[in-house]
Amino acid sequence: MDGRSVAGALADGPRTAIRMTMNGAQTRDVDGAEGRPPLVDPFGRAISYLRVSVTDRCDFRCVYCMSEHMSFLPKADVLSLEELDRLCSAFVARGVRKLRLTGGEPLVRRGIMTLVNALARHLRSGDLDELTLTTNGSQLAKYAADLQAAGVRRLNVSLDTLDADKFRAITRWGELNQVLAGIDAAQAAGLKIKINAVALKGVNDDEFPQLIEWAHGRGVDLTLIEVMPLGEIGEGRLEQYLPLSMVRARLAERFTLDEIDYRTGGPARYVRVAETGGRLGFITPLTHNFCESCNRVRVTCTGTLYMCLGQEDAADLRKPLRASEGNDLLFAAIDEAIGRKPKGHDFVIDRRHQRPALSRHMSVTGG
Ligand SMILES: C[S@@+](CC[C@H](N)C(=O)[O-])C[C@H]1O[C@@H](n2cnc3c(N)ncnc32)[C@H](O)[C@@H]1O
Ligand code: SF4
């Protein structure tokens, strides 16, 4: 498809055909980007990492993420593939070097490979260091080879348990075997996998040693994540919440956990498990502040920019995106928003009212 207009491949309209060629020649020529500096927030943090939720829909209904009966957004509210490409490309033109597609489940978005293939031009031009996805793995058997061919090299796969019944209970709709087959396919295609598991009290907390041995046995890093108080999900957060400090203390009775300096630019702190030789990460938004080196922002599938995962403040980028074919308005809105990226977040599980600290679901911002 090299050299072909993306708009030809995108079903949603030909508006920005000229800018978006597949050969990478015009990456820096995103309209309106000329002369604009890389994005830096008021605390001097360069914004080099963009996470984009490409859909709010999902083929699972994980208990900590969604309620069983979610209502999803009308299609007209969701950015088209072309708009997503234009938005991501604008950020790349302003210094973003790492792009992560997430959701909802990114691989259930219709035409997702068209978007991935289009964005891959920024990898070929050298303007982007990494194009990656966070996925539940259910569609990986279908897409692994195409993702690798497009230039994707690493994936985060979410997997909380290796027990098929528990997997069904946590995801409500998921099939463990399908996900395991997806992980096999991804590794066979040469993709590097990291597994993310949310720690859930009384659900998977007895399984971490097994998960560690399984992941490290496959040459895969494992990261444990604390439940974050996002969105009404119809179940008590306090019942799910398991501090990773406790998990770590318990694991330390069984394994030798050696502190290591390894950082992926994200909020995870890593140890090496001496017995397996593999890396184990901990993401602890509630018990630690991970904001000092925050280089990331998030955009939802409706084009809302969140400057911080833990704050409500947001900027609408869809309006400037749709208001004109040029990007001047878009860049102005991005600049204005980055100018008020907060210093840090303020997650709390509201113990008195049992309410989430933030009303939006994780499937909105994609984690
Ligand atoms: C929202 S999902 C989107 C991508 C994809 N569907 C997946 O599950 O990997 C991204 C990550 O957020 C995590 N997540 C969802 N809700 C969460 C919550 N309330 N607290 C902590 N992590 C959460 C999921 O486990 C997953 O690893
Ligand atoms: S965590 Fe991912 S797979 Fe689970 S419901 Fe949320 S978006 Fe879907």
Side-chain angles (χ1 to χ4, degrees):
M1 283 179 79
D2 257 13
R4 185 153 87 80
S5 152
V6 176
L10 293 171
D12 303 284
R15 273 197 307 144
T16 50
I18 301 158
R19 270 192 303 281
M20 298 191 296
T21 60
M22 296 288 281
N23 60 13
Q26 298 181 42
T27 304
R28 286 262 168 235
D29 293 340
V30 172
D31 272 1
E34 303 79 14
R36 292 183 195 258
L39 298 168
V40 177
D41 79 3
F43 303 95
R45 296 171 298 190
I47 307 305
S48 56
Y49 183 8
L50 176 68
R51 298 169 76 112
V52 183
S53 176
V54 298
T55 176
D56 62 330
R57 289 164 198 259
C58 187
D59 51 347
F60 292 0
R61 291 288 181 278
C62 300
V63 292
Y64 46 76
C65 180
M66 294 193 182
S67 61
E68 188 156 14
H69 305 288
M70 293 284 287
S71 39
F72 293 107
L73 293 160
K75 223 174 161 193
D77 289 356
V78 175
L79 299 185
S80 68
L81 295 174
E82 187 177 59
E83 287 168 336
L84 283 166
D85 181 285
R86 202 176 137 206
L87 188 62
C88 293
S89 300
F91 275 95
V92 171
R94 297 294 306 279
V96 159
R97 309 252 356 141
K98 178 172 172 179
L99 205 50
R100 178 177 296 278
L101 306 185
T102 175
E105 173 48 40
L107 295 179
V108 303
R109 171 83 199 238
R110 197 184 301 169
I112 185 66
M113 282 313 303
T114 307
L115 178 64
V116 171
N117 282 319
L119 292 171
R121 72 189 182 283
H122 300 305
L123 292 171
R124 291 193 295 276
S125 71
D127 288 330
L128 195 61
D129 295 330
E130 184 169 31
L131 175 59
T132 184
L133 289 87
T134 298
T135 172
N136 66 23
S138 69
Q139 309 299 313
L140 265 185
K142 181 172 162 195
Y143 286 117
D146 290 348
L147 290 169
Q148 157 72 24
V152 173
R153 292 294 169 260
R154 297 195 302 166
L155 294 175
N156 286 0
V157 182
S158 305
L159 176 65
D160 305 327
T161 176
L162 293 169
D163 177 305
D165 293 334
K166 260 192 219 174
F167 187 82
R168 172 50 68 103
I170 294 171
T171 61
R172 293 198 183 99
W173 295 2
E175 278 294 337
L176 177 65
N177 279 338
Q178 201 177 326
V179 172
L180 295 179
I183 294 171
D184 285 343
Q187 289 198 285
L191 291 163
K192 200 166 169 355
I193 301 291
K194 181 164 82 71
I195 301 289
N196 286 337
V198 174
L200 298 163
K201 189 155 88 186
V203 179
N204 63 356
D205 43 354
D206 57 336
E207 257 196 88
F208 299 142
Q210 194 196 343
L211 264 173
I212 290 169
E213 276 159 5
W214 173 82
H216 292 177
R218 305 178 66 112
V220 162
D221 290 348
L222 172 71
T223 297
L224 301 177
I225 307 174
E226 253 168 25
V227 170
M228 291 180 241
L230 295 176
E232 292 291 353
I233 51 160
E235 278 169 60
R237 291 282 174 196
L238 288 174
E239 272 125 66
Q240 296 178 350
Y241 178 57
L242 174 63
L244 287 187
S245 49
M246 269 173 66
V247 174
R248 187 173 167 160
R250 233 181 288 155
L251 287 173
E253 292 168 11
R254 175 151 175 179
F255 297 107
T256 315
L257 307 179
D258 296 324
E259 296 271 356
I260 51 174
D261 232 2
Y262 179 75
R263 296 300 294 265
T264 55
R269 301 276 187 276
Y270 283 89
V271 297
R272 186 169 301 283
V273 180
E275 288 77 3
T276 60
R279 277 187 295 248
L280 175 65
F282 297 92
I283 298 185
T284 56
L286 296 178
T287 51
H288 274 272
N289 196 310
F290 56 48
C291 307
E292 319 82 54
S293 58
C294 180
N295 62 351
R296 64 189 60 192
V297 290
R298 296 168 167 82
V299 179
T300 70
C301 61
T302 56
T304 303
L305 174 68
Y306 283 95
M307 288 71 85
C308 170
L309 179 63
Q311 303 273 5
E312 298 278 10
D313 189 26
D316 176 22
L317 300 183
R318 186 179 60 193
K319 203 164 166 203
L321 191 65
R322 290 184 173 172
S324 70
E325 295 208 352
N327 287 321
D328 285 345
L329 294 174
L330 178 62
F331 282 123
I334 293 173
D335 281 327
E336 198 274 327
I338 298 300
R340 52 190 166 86
K341 181 170 161 63
K343 192 165 183 201
H345 68 65
D346 187 24
F347 278 126
V348 253
I349 292 182
D350 185 335
R351 283 166 205 278
R352 251 176 328 142
H353 302 101
Q354 295 261 316
R355 273 199 314 248
L358 293 174
S359 57
R360 65 179 189 267
H361 289 92
M362 188 68 109
S363 52
V364 173
T365 42

